[in-house]
Amino acid sequence: MSLSKKLNRWKEQKFITQKQYDQILAFERQRSGNTFWRTAFIIAGLLIGLGVCLLVASNWDALGAVVKIAGAFVVLGGLFYTTFWCITHERKGLTELFAILSFLMIGATIGLIGQVFNLEGGWSSFALTWAVLGLPFVLVSRSIFFNVGWLCLFFSLFNGGYLEKVLDYFFHTLDSGSIAAIVGLCLLSYAGKKLDETANKYTLLPKAFEKLMMWLTYICVWGIGLRWGSCWGWERPKFMLLANLIVFAFFAARLFLAVRTQNMTSFRRNAILAEIYIFILFASNLGSLFLSGIGFILGGLAILGMIYLFKRTSRYIKTMEVFK
Amino acid sequence: MKTKILAISFALPFICLLLWTLELTWQRSHGTEVIVSVMGYDPRDLLSGHYIQYQIDWNRTDCSQFPGGNCPKEHFCKEARWGRQCRFYIPEKHARELDDLFRKRNNDTMKFEVAYSYQRGQSAIAKQLLINGKDWRESLQ
């Protein structure tokens, strides 16, 4: 239901006065407008910044090395100053745009320096320099995706070999270590949440950390479920029960927490994810049927059924006593 | 106070990058020019993106250019799994032509070398890619 409809209903019920009606509407309109502009600025910043990185990568030889380096520093200085000006003059949307542009331009400049001086440093030295020098611009940004992006860049420093080992472990092993990893990720996410409560005023990094850890937890849980719990995974009789227990225990915990914190959105999201998982479990039992004509029809019908089920679930959750 | 911290935190990355560039420029311009012979470790994979990957062929390099007549191998290129790996960045539009030239080199019709700026005890900086003693741009024409 749209905000104006809700407000009209509240006004008719005399929950709010005409003055409050106008104030709420004006406030929400301005807020949603800010979000729109901010998002537009972030997308524009990303496109322009990535374009500059691509230009640098193409190593355009029409300009000499000195001109390219000098040009990069002039642009960099200009961007840094504009970001500073936007912050001091409280231009929130423009701050996002120029913070992202400055951050990407730092990466492009490091790339350019590497190119001009034929430096052999690998990804880890590039990423470390970029992450450290770009940190001030991440700290001033209120975009969660920009902050998550920085964290991904920072974590990429821990070389691919380590990540490979972790993924290898998850793919080939299902034991107490897998459960400990999920619990560990949840605890890290919780720590990020707690830190965010005090640091949110200054930076979104703890919040981004919380989100990233939670997304990783979901990826791990789903990975375990699909690899060991469904019929698509091999060696299934051995670990099927344990894998499904882990997945459902996780969803149960998330639903329980959502009820405790009165977070209806989280409850609805997790309920729907659990439904999707159950659907996958049944679908995996049908083997290669989905590759046939009948399978396609069944698949389409199943999706329609799922949509109906999700709508029913959402409607039911809205009427639940615990959220009243 | 808050504005000052903000200004300093924004100025620092700029200064760091500028100092780094100046240091590299100084290192490049004040080093002794040495020429080393290069070889590709895999002709099909010589051009990755917009740089040439190569290894230095120390057997065909004149070590008398270096102080003491010893080739300081540890100051050239970066250690990788398959030996010391070097890079020379080239413009995108010449990538294919250079790749073709590297392939021809396998028949020993061309000699590839890289001119480095070298200072004792510091990493050498690649300055110029030479084909038969000439700048690679001239050879492409």
Side-chain angles (χ1 to χ4, degrees), chain A residues 286-298:
Chain A
L286 298 174
S288 56
L289 178 66
F290 275 104
L291 296 174
S292 65
I294 298 168
F296 271 68
I297 298 167
L298 278 176

Side-chain angles (χ1 to χ4, degrees), chain B residues 47 95-105 110:
Chain B
L47 290 171
R96 190 168 284 276
E97 284 174 278
L98 266 173
D99 189 28
D100 290 343
L101 278 180
F102 258 105
R103 283 171 202 277
K104 280 181 197 166
R105 178 198 162 274
M110 287 182 170

Side-chain angles (χ1 to χ4, degrees), chain A residues 57-59 61 69 73 76-77 80 83-84 87-88 110 113-120 122 133 136-137 140, chain B residues 3 6 9-10 13-14 17-18 20-21 24-25 28 50 77-78 85 87-94 125-126:
Chain A
S58 71
N59 197 352
D61 66 342
I69 288 273
F73 274 99
L76 202 63
F80 286 10
T83 315
F84 177 74
I87 295 167
T88 49
I110 297 167
I113 293 169
Q115 201 178 81
V116 167
F117 294 98
N118 295 300
L119 302 179
E120 282 106 13
L133 295 180
F137 299 94
V140 298
Chain B
T3 318
L6 197 66
S9 63
F10 281 10
F14 187 85
L17 282 173
L18 195 65
W20 184 34
T21 312
L24 287 169
T25 312
R28 185 174 147 146
H50 311 131
C77 314
K78 199 188 163 212
Q85 175 201 345
R87 279 183 189 181
F88 192 90
Y89 287 84
I90 49 154
E92 186 183 15
K93 67 175 182 180
H94 297 304
I125 293 177

Side-chain angles (χ1 to χ4, degrees), chain A residues 169-170 176-186 217 220:
Chain A
Y169 177 80
F170 261 96
S176 53
S178 318
I179 301 165
I182 292 168
V183 173
L185 283 171
C186 288
T217 316
C220 287

Side-chain angles (χ1 to χ4, degrees), chain A residues 85-103:
Chain A
W85 184 89
C86 291
I87 295 167
T88 49
H89 288 76
E90 292 181 0
R91 305 286 166 92
K92 285 176 184 167
L94 283 174
T95 301
E96 292 301 332
L97 170 71
F98 285 103
I100 288 175
L101 277 177
S102 301
F103 180 77

Side-chain angles (χ1 to χ4, degrees), chain A residues 1 6 262 264-265 267-268 271-272 310-324:
Chain A
M1 193 187 292
K6 272 185 192 170
Q262 290 283 296
M264 199 208 282
T265 316
F267 190 92
R268 199 163 51 198
I272 287 174
F310 294 160
K311 287 207 163 195
R312 286 296 299 262
T313 310
S314 297
R315 244 178 255 159
Y316 175 73
I317 290 168
K318 279 180 191 169
T319 59
M320 280 169 76
E321 278 297 318
V322 284
F323 294 116
K324 281 184 180 169

